[in-house]
Amino acid sequence: MRFSVDEINNSTDLLPNITLGYNVFDTCYLYNNIQPALNFISQDYVIDPTISFMQYTPNVISVIGPDSNDAAETTANIFNRLLLPQINIFATSRKMSELSLPSCFQTIPSSRVQQQAIRDILSYFNWTWIAVLGSLDEYGFDGVQQFLELTLDTYICIAYKGFIPIKVVGKEAAWEIAIRDIVSNITLTNVNVVIVFSIDVILLEFFDKVVELNVPSKIWLATETWSLSRDIYDLPNIKNLGLVFGIALQYVQIPGFDEYLMNVYYQNRSTWGKSRADKSCNQNCDDCFNTSLRNFMDASDRRVSFSIYSAVYAVAHALHKVLGCNKTYCNRKEVYPWQMTEALGQVNFSLLNNEISFDVYGDSPTGYDIIVWDWLGGTSFETVGTYTNSGNLSIKLDKIKWNTENNVIPSSICSSDCLPGQEKQQKGQFKCCFICVSCEAGSYLHKNGTCVSCRADQWSAESSTFCYNKTRRFLSWNDVLTITLFVATMVGLFLTVVVIVTFIVHLSSPVVKAAGGRMCFLLLISLTVAYISVLAYLGEPNIMKCTMRHPIYSIALTICFSYISIRSFQIVCIFKMASKLPATYDYWVKQNGQYVCLAILSGVQVLISCLWIFINPPTATTKELNSDEVLVDCSQFSSIYNVLQYSYNALLSLICFIFAYMGKELPKNYSEAKCITFAMLIYFVVCISFFTAQLIDVGEYLIPINAGLALTSLMGIKVGYFFPKCYIIFCKPQFNTTKHFQSTIQSYTRRGSGSLK
């Protein structure tokens, strides 16, 4: 502090024509902080409570220190009454970062940053099974409590929490029992990492006893209060503790400070000797006078120097603002504590490449160094990383000697990590203690650590970390069955075209006229559409293909059955009912009864199909074949519309069969009973086969079976209804004459007359 005050006074940049002074008190750790605080807020050693604090000028305008938490919290509450700023340069406490203490500032990181640094170090090394110790004072209690709150929602488990008592004269036995209990609990929990929130004075005797008890080697995580303690480092056999991993204030080299210390050391040795001879020294003079130059200038003890240095400069910048200073002059006026508090909250300057400012809580944006105690090297406290105020952790692993085989980082966990594809299931009260359970087949380990079922179109083996897409089975174009069905469909389509051409060429022939004349082309076109619909079975199904397979195909088949039914009915009427009911037959002919009936019969199926398409259209669905394969099909077997369509076509086929049977005695050229019966029997077999294939498990052969059955139905109609007629046209032309048809009608008439006699 003297160095920084002298530096400011010798410069005209900040406070021209103003000289800073200071009072220094030794608070002796805990027991002497009230007296200095009262001295600071007094006026000539008198405090007048009747004076307005707005116009009150105490002995000092700012306070730097004290260095212990308990003392700093006590004085902060006193100074806050006058809004006298207190800048903490070593003590860290959550209470001093509260809005209820607006006059309290810190040039070191807040306790919040230290807690976060400890948490992030544990996470960095995956140390999740730890013990936490705190000294039996406010710093220890507050530190342990803050850490417990910070790690509440993390995977860091506190296996043991204990408090180190202060050794009191006359109660050494109780103290020793308490230390033995702490050591025993740490050993029983089998933790490898111990965090200690304590001041160095209490830990000095604690570690001396721990070394005596021969505790197994651990990793001790030190807070900034003792991480650079030379007294603890110099304890006999302290290296048997293991590795000390600590957090320390960032070291900033202050130019000219080393030379200043050396001058102080050499210039004042004679003064120290005189004080010793005069017995005017009120401290432990032997230790003071025998201090070596090395210890006096040890950099580890001077990490706090920059905190003091920056605190003095912060006061100077605040005073610069309050006094309205420029480069050459400052206004000499009365300065009140509340003005300094307000100005300190607004300072923002750079000092030795470090930003100095305070947030609303009085905290400054400074960070920490991560240090390791080096038992063998030339440097007692090796800096191996940094932690910034914003939470960025950087560690140089190559600089750490872990004292393990191959320098492997020691672990401190309750349960070993699970293998890929295994879920952690908590065991007991600690979340980091668990058992590993493999994810079942059909599930995988999600990134949140739990087993999640795969989608319906995916599969996985046991202990999987992801799911595979199931192989989609359908009639692909490179499949032999697909090629076979395509060829068969094209053959059927070609034969249908041949029949159409044949009927066009022989449109005026008796055979074509007997088959229905121009009306039979409606049947042939329906067959063509049905064949095209069969092609929808090939390739991967989609909405359009599924619509072609079911509704469109059913409509085409309905037209075929409706036509055959009406044609059979019409022939029966001509030969059996026309003479008995001439008026009815005449009405049927004049009103185009056959077209009306065809439209009605087909319209019912069209209505069902439209309802199906618009309400719940047939879509591609999947059916599981095995664990890694699905059948992609238009699975509409259970649809009410599908059942209605099949039932309706079955009814029409039955009507066809009935009318064909009624006309079995008609002239051979007109009787189609055998042909229609053959076609309808094939359709009945197809229906039975279709429902059987749906009910039994035929696997991936379901689609080719359905396509084959559809082709069989169409072939049955063509072979049963059209091939006999084509046979007559091409092979028996003598029967395709008007004379022959008239003779068969006359023969049927004579046979009917004979039966009447």
Side-chain angles (χ1 to χ4, degrees):
M1 188 174 71
R2 276 182 55 190
F3 172 79
S4 53
V5 169
D6 290 345
E7 192 174 70
I8 293 170
N9 288 337
N10 292 330
S11 171
T12 59
D13 293 338
L14 271 179
L15 299 172
N17 75 301
I18 296 294
T19 302
L20 289 180
Y22 55 84
N23 288 331
V24 178
F25 282 82
D26 186 353
T27 58
C28 296
Y29 163 57
L30 179 61
Y31 309 107
N32 185 27
N33 54 74
I34 300 297
Q35 180 184 349
L38 295 177
N39 181 284
F40 289 153
I41 66 173
S42 67
Q43 290 180 331
D44 297 327
Y45 303 102
V46 175
I47 300 175
D48 187 352
T50 63
I51 299 176
S52 172
F53 289 150
M54 292 293 292
Q55 305 296 323
Y56 187 77
T57 54
N59 283 340
V60 297
I61 57 172
S62 295
V63 178
I64 296 175
D67 62 350
S68 69
N69 273 24
D70 292 333
E73 289 178 12
T74 301
T75 58
N77 282 282
I78 295 173
F79 297 146
N80 192 57
R81 302 293 179 181
L82 299 177
L83 286 181
L84 177 67
Q86 171 181 302
I87 304 177
N88 299 300
I89 44 82
F90 196 71
T92 58
S93 171
R94 176 166 51 178
K95 292 182 179 179
M96 291 185 289
S97 295
E98 294 178 349
L99 295 177
S100 59
L101 293 173
S103 65
C104 198
F105 300 89
Q106 287 77 236
T107 54
I108 60 172
S110 68
S111 61
R112 171 185 54 83
V113 177
Q114 177 175 238
Q115 297 283 355
Q116 292 174 348
I118 294 173
R119 179 200 61 190
D120 292 348
I121 290 172
L122 295 175
S123 299
Y124 182 86
F125 291 109
N126 194 31
W127 292 333
T128 58
W129 186 243
I130 63 171
V132 179
L133 300 180
S135 54
L136 207 56
D137 60 359
E138 190 159 359
Y139 177 80
F141 276 119
D142 195 50
V144 171
Q145 184 60 34
Q146 267 191 280
F147 185 75
L148 293 178
E149 293 173 0
L150 188 65
T151 58
L152 187 61
D153 295 326
T154 67
Y155 278 96
I156 297 173
C157 298
I158 314 299
Y160 171 70
K161 176 187 69 175
F163 291 94
I164 304 169
I166 300 173
K167 192 173 184 179
V168 180
V169 177
K171 296 184 178 181
E172 291 84 353
W175 177 87
E176 184 171 336
I177 292 173
I179 301 304
R180 288 181 180 275
D181 287 341
I182 291 174
V183 170
S184 175
N185 286 320
I186 291 175
T187 305
L188 288 174
T189 53
N190 199 31
V191 298
N192 286 331
V193 175
V194 183
I195 303 172
V196 183
F197 294 93
S198 176
I199 56 178
D200 55 352
V201 177
I202 296 177
L203 288 181
L204 190 61
E205 294 177 322
F206 170 75
F207 279 124
D208 190 30
K209 189 63 180 179
V210 170
V211 171
E212 180 186 325
L213 293 174
N214 197 23
V215 176
S217 178
K218 305 289 182 186
I219 296 172
W220 300 84
L221 196 51
T223 58
E224 41 78 29
T225 51
W226 67 276
S227 61
L228 300 173
S229 174
R230 173 64 62 178
D231 291 334
I232 298 177
Y233 181 88
D234 291 335
L235 283 173
N237 299 318
I238 188 66
K239 64 181 180 180
N240 294 336
L241 283 176
L243 183 70
V244 178
F245 211 95
I247 294 173
L249 298 178
Q250 284 187 344
Y251 177 69
V252 178
Q253 179 70 40
I254 302 175
F257 191 43
D258 287 344
E259 293 81 358
Y260 181 84
L261 288 178
M262 291 182 67
N263 290 333
V264 169
Y265 181 80
Y266 287 115
Q267 291 176 4
N268 290 283
R269 284 190 67 85
S270 59
T271 304
W272 293 344
K274 182 179 179 181
S275 298
R276 183 178 184 184
D278 295 343
K279 298 183 180 180
S280 60
C281 177
N282 59 358
Q283 303 292 330
N284 189 341
C285 295
D286 289 336
D287 289 342
C288 292
F289 296 140
N290 294 327
T291 299
S292 66
L293 178 63
R294 178 187 175 188
N295 290 337
F296 186 73
M297 299 190 65
D298 196 325
S300 64
D301 292 334
R302 290 195 284 111
R303 284 177 178 266
V304 73
S305 298
F306 184 72
S307 296
I308 302 171
Y309 185 73
S310 58
V312 175
Y313 266 89
V315 172
H317 275 268
L319 191 58
H320 177 93
K321 181 178 180 62
V322 172
L323 295 178
C325 300
N326 54 33
K327 294 183 178 180
T328 60
Y329 181 76
C330 291
N331 295 319
R332 290 181 173 273
K333 62 178 183 178
E334 201 74 55
V335 177
Y336 302 110
W338 60 268
Q339 292 176 314
M340 290 296 295
T341 294
E342 183 179 12
L344 275 169
Q346 298 173 2
V347 298
N348 191 342
F349 61 96
S350 179
L351 185 65
L352 302 181
N353 297 320
N354 288 271
E355 180 188 350
I356 307 299
S357 63
F358 302 101
D359 61 19
V360 67
Y361 298 100
D363 299 328
S364 58
T366 54
Y368 286 106
D369 282 340
I370 311 300
I371 59 100
V372 172
W373 289 14
D374 188 358
W375 309 115
L376 302 175
T379 303
S380 302
F381 307 104
E382 178 74 20
T383 300
V384 297
T386 59
Y387 189 83
T388 66
N389 183 69
S390 58
N392 293 323
L393 175 65
S394 175
I395 294 180
K396 298 176 182 178
L397 293 175
D398 58 324
K399 299 183 71 174
I400 305 175
K401 301 178 182 65
W402 296 104
N403 299 323
T404 58
E405 186 176 354
N406 298 323
N407 205 37
V408 176
I409 299 174
S411 66
S412 185
I413 56 176
C414 179
S415 300
S416 299
D417 285 340
C418 294
L419 297 174
Q422 291 185 331
E423 179 183 13
K424 298 177 181 178
Q425 293 187 358
Q426 186 172 327
K427 179 180 66 176
Q429 61 174 327
F430 296 107
K431 63 181 74 175
C432 57
C433 298
F434 49 82
I435 58 175
C436 299
V437 179
S438 298
C439 294
E440 298 179 352
S443 64
Y444 72 101
L445 188 67
H446 193 264
K447 60 184 178 181
N448 63 10
T450 60
C451 293
V452 178
S453 298
C454 298
R455 297 199 312 264
D457 60 341
Q458 294 181 325
W459 71 280
S460 69
E462 186 179 353
S463 301
S464 292
T465 55
F466 55 88
C467 294
Y468 304 91
N469 291 327
K470 291 184 177 180
T471 303
R472 297 166 67 86
R473 294 295 184 187
F474 50 86
L475 287 176
S476 58
W477 287 99
N478 58 354
D479 197 313
V480 175
L481 277 174
T482 305
I483 297 173
T484 302
L485 288 171
F486 177 77
V487 171
T489 303
M490 297 310 295
V491 169
L493 197 58
F494 172 75
L495 293 177
T496 304
V497 173
V498 169
V499 173
I500 292 174
V501 173
T502 300
F503 274 41
I504 291 174
V505 173
H506 299 86
L507 183 60
S508 59
S509 65
V511 170
V512 176
K513 289 181 179 180
R518 296 180 183 277
M519 190 177 178
C520 68
F521 290 110
L522 180 61
L523 173 57
L524 291 169
I525 292 173
S526 298
L527 280 176
T528 303
V529 173
Y531 273 113
I532 295 174
S533 298
V534 174
L535 293 176
Y537 282 91
L538 312 181
E540 186 169 1
N542 52 41
I543 293 178
M544 185 182 73
K545 286 185 177 182
C546 291
T547 302
M548 292 291 293
R549 284 191 195 183
H550 294 286
I552 302 301
Y553 174 80
S554 296
I555 291 173
L557 205 61
T558 297
I559 293 175
C560 293
F561 289 155
S562 299
Y563 174 83
I564 295 173
S565 299
I566 293 169
R567 188 62 189 164
S568 300
F569 172 74
Q570 194 169 357
I571 292 174
V572 170
C573 287
I574 292 173
F575 287 95
K576 292 192 174 184
M577 298 176 62
S579 58
K580 298 180 180 179
L581 299 170
T584 303
Y585 179 74
D586 186 60
Y587 182 81
W588 168 274
V589 174
K590 289 181 179 181
Q591 299 299 323
N592 296 314
Q594 56 183 349
Y595 296 105
V596 174
C597 286
L598 180 63
I600 293 173
L601 293 176
S602 302
V604 173
Q605 190 69 287
V606 171
L607 178 62
I608 296 173
S609 297
C610 289
L611 290 174
W612 190 358
I613 293 171
F614 288 109
I615 295 177
N616 184 24
T619 57
T621 56
T622 57
K623 176 184 178 182
E624 187 168 345
L625 295 175
N626 47 55
S627 61
D628 60 345
E629 291 183 324
V630 291
L631 178 67
V632 186
D633 190 17
C634 303
S635 183
Q636 305 295 330
F637 175 69
S638 60
S639 172
I640 183 63
Y641 302 104
N642 188 49
V643 174
L644 287 175
Q645 285 195 330
Y646 265 94
S647 301
Y648 187 69
N649 281 335
L651 176 63
L652 290 179
S653 64
L654 181 61
I655 293 173
C656 291
F657 182 81
I658 292 172
F659 284 130
Y661 181 80
M662 290 175 62
K664 68 180 186 300
E665 296 179 356
L666 297 179
K668 291 183 179 181
N669 288 354
Y670 291 93
S671 177
E672 300 172 334
K674 293 180 180 179
C675 298
I676 294 175
T677 300
F678 171 77
M680 296 306 106
L681 285 175
I682 289 178
Y683 181 71
F684 291 150
V685 172
V686 166
C687 286
I688 294 172
S689 302
F690 171 78
F691 283 97
T692 302
Q694 295 286 347
L695 293 174
I696 65 175
D697 187 11
V698 294
E700 60 183 295
Y701 296 103
L702 180 64
I703 298 177
I705 288 174
N706 289 341
L709 292 174
L711 281 176
T712 302
S713 297
L714 300 179
M715 285 294 186
I717 295 173
K718 185 159 42 182
V719 170
Y721 193 78
F722 288 106
F723 277 17
K725 296 172 177 54
C726 292
Y727 175 76
I728 292 174
I729 292 174
F730 290 113
C731 300
K732 301 289 184 177
Q734 65 273 20
F735 295 150
N736 189 19
T737 61
T738 304
K739 182 178 179 181
H740 176 73
F741 271 77
Q742 288 177 348
S743 64
T744 56
I745 293 173
Q746 290 174 359
S747 175
Y748 171 78
T749 304
R750 284 195 299 271
R751 192 166 58 250
S753 300
S755 63
L756 289 174
K757 294 178 182 179

